[in-house]
Amino acid sequence: MREVDIHFLDKIPGKTTTGWNLFSKQELTDAIEKCNNLFAPGLDKLMWSHVKSIIRNKDCICKFINITNTYINLEHWPSHFKTSTMVVIPKPNKSSFNSPKSCRPIVLFNTIGKHFKIMIGECLQSYMISNSFIHPSQLGGLKQRFTIDAGVALTHMLRSEWVKNLTMSTLAFDIAQFFSSLNYQLLPLILNKAELDHKISIFFKNYLVVRKTKYLWNNFISPSFNVNIGVGQGFALSLILSTLYLSPVFLSLENCLKILKIPISIIFSVDNGLFISQNKSISHSNANIFCSYNIISSLLTKCGLVVEHGKTNIFHFSRSHGVLNPPPLDLSALGGPILLPKKT
């Protein structure tokens, strides 16, 4: 786990403290409504169809709600919900299984625990969007902020700038090993900055530690291993927690760009970012993008994250009918490549 610099959070203004309401029956049923009955059973041997059947009983649904509220109030996530088993499934029609790409791993958790996590994640997302802690540029995996919205916004910006006879330059970048690199000690501090009820921060501080997993391959099962890294990819709380982890980065980035008067827009989806510059001069756009890339790289380093320079690409969109021969963008001073524009 990489080192982090928690002092960059000092510059993030706090939000008004938001109380945490008790869960309702509607929230519990909404959380499970879209869960596929055909998914594999969890470690408790329950399928989603079993859980849906259980909560049709009025007494059972009340018990479920009371249990979930108790976990939050006690600031505790039980150990049997922190245990998982990774099942390694060979892909069909493969001649060799010596490569990890020849297999498809699935992670099995306690199904009841997954249900509770979905409910907690939905509520946490609503709270964070309502108090504007999540930056407007963060899209993908969030309510009313779908990845398709990023495409619509980008198309609108492109057409608008063409009307003004400007060229739009975009730099696409990716965060390396994103979900597994999130620092579980920094995340509760970020939740404190969001001014949630203090018990929520303490709850997640407990939720993120003492996690264990086993590996299952055919008839072989391994001993338990500690997995106190990151938040896991594809899990119920992964998207909202990873989004919150990056929110201070974009708030700091926005502030830096304003101070330096750099006219850059940004669209971000989970672990992929896009800098957008509109200018008549591509050289000016390259300069603005270079400065922005330098700032975001520095901020991510403070969070224990790094940009995967090998996946960074630049694109220029011009309405000019002539030959477009833009200059390369040299990121070597930042540890990156010299980027030749991709054809558009």
Side-chain angles (χ1 to χ4, degrees):
M1 187 167 58
R2 302 184 187 97
E3 292 185 2
V4 297
D5 179 8
I6 64 173
H7 298 295
F8 89 99
L9 292 176
D10 297 339
K11 298 180 181 179
I12 304 297
K15 300 290 182 180
T16 303
T17 302
T18 307
W20 183 271
N21 296 325
L22 296 176
F23 291 108
S24 66
K25 291 181 181 179
Q26 188 63 49
E27 288 171 328
L28 187 140
T29 53
D30 287 347
I32 200 172
E33 192 175 56
K34 296 180 181 179
C35 295
N36 194 328
N37 292 340
L38 300 178
F39 280 3
L43 296 182
D44 50 11
K45 309 302 180 185
L46 292 177
M47 298 182 69
W48 286 119
S49 57
H50 299 142
V51 182
K52 291 176 183 179
S53 178
I54 291 170
I55 64 173
R56 291 193 189 103
N57 181 281
K58 291 182 179 179
D59 291 334
C60 290
I61 194 171
C62 289
K63 294 293 184 184
F64 270 47
I65 293 169
N66 290 338
I67 290 170
T68 314
N69 286 325
T70 300
Y71 290 151
I72 297 296
N73 290 328
L74 293 178
E75 303 161 355
H76 176 74
W77 189 242
S79 58
H80 54 276
F81 289 162
K82 297 181 181 182
T83 302
S84 63
T85 297
M86 180 177 287
V87 184
V88 182
I89 303 174
K91 292 181 180 178
N93 304 319
K94 294 290 183 179
S95 57
S96 173
F97 296 102
N98 295 328
S99 169
K101 293 183 178 180
S102 301
C103 301
R104 181 174 66 89
I106 62 170
V107 181
L108 300 179
F109 284 93
N110 186 297
T111 305
I112 300 293
K114 286 171 64 178
H115 183 197
F116 293 160
K117 286 191 284 187
I118 293 171
M119 187 163 50
I120 293 169
E122 290 288 325
C123 291
L124 183 60
Q125 188 175 145
S126 297
Y127 275 100
M128 292 295 93
I129 291 177
S130 65
N131 76 355
S132 301
F133 186 73
I134 296 177
H135 195 271
S137 67
Q138 292 180 269
L139 307 173
L142 300 173
K143 292 179 180 178
Q144 300 177 349
R145 295 190 184 188
F146 302 108
T147 306
I148 193 172
D149 295 327
V152 172
L154 190 60
T155 302
H156 173 74
M157 295 172 68
L158 177 61
R159 302 294 294 184
S160 298
E161 298 312 316
W162 279 0
V163 170
K164 301 174 186 177
N165 198 30
L166 300 177
T167 296
M168 186 169 82
S169 302
T170 63
L171 181 85
F173 63 93
D174 184 81
I175 299 176
Q177 299 176 336
F178 177 57
F179 288 97
S180 60
S181 299
L182 302 187
N183 188 296
Y184 67 89
Q185 295 172 326
L186 178 62
L187 189 53
L189 300 178
I190 293 173
L191 291 174
N192 278 334
K193 208 66 183 178
E195 296 297 336
L196 272 172
D197 192 309
H198 190 60
K199 64 186 177 185
I200 301 301
S201 300
I202 302 299
F203 168 80
F204 277 105
K205 190 174 183 179
N206 180 271
Y207 169 87
L208 291 166
V209 297
V210 199
R211 291 173 286 162
K212 297 180 179 294
T213 193
K214 296 179 180 179
Y215 296 90
L216 176 63
W217 179 300
N218 295 328
N219 295 322
F220 168 80
I221 187 164
S222 73
S224 293
F225 294 94
N226 292 325
V227 284
N228 295 324
I229 56 171
V231 297
Q233 185 172 357
F235 302 157
L237 285 165
S238 299
L239 279 175
I240 182 59
L241 291 179
S242 61
T243 298
L244 292 175
Y245 193 93
L246 288 177
S247 291
V249 171
F250 292 110
L251 293 169
S252 298
L253 174 64
E254 181 182 50
N255 187 48
C256 289
L257 294 177
K258 283 182 178 179
I259 293 173
L260 297 174
K261 297 181 179 180
I262 299 175
I264 282 282
S265 300
I266 184 168
I267 295 176
F268 202 86
S269 179
V270 189
D271 58 347
N272 301 292
L274 192 69
F275 282 127
I276 305 162
S277 177
Q278 300 97 15
N279 211 302
K280 289 187 176 181
S281 167
I282 291 180
S283 295
H284 288 168
S285 289
N286 277 356
N288 290 336
I289 289 174
F290 178 91
C291 292
S292 303
Y293 192 76
N294 185 22
I295 295 170
I296 194 74
S297 297
S298 175
L299 289 171
L300 289 173
T301 299
K302 291 179 180 180
C303 293
L305 301 171
V306 295
V307 175
E308 192 167 356
H309 295 302
K311 292 185 177 180
T312 303
N313 287 300
I314 192 165
F315 304 84
H316 301 291
F317 301 89
S318 173
R319 203 176 185 182
S320 172
H321 296 290
V323 176
L324 185 67
N325 189 24
L329 175 60
D330 188 355
L331 299 175
S332 57
L334 308 179
I338 299 176
L339 297 177
L340 299 175
K342 299 288 184 178
K343 292 184 179 180
T344 56

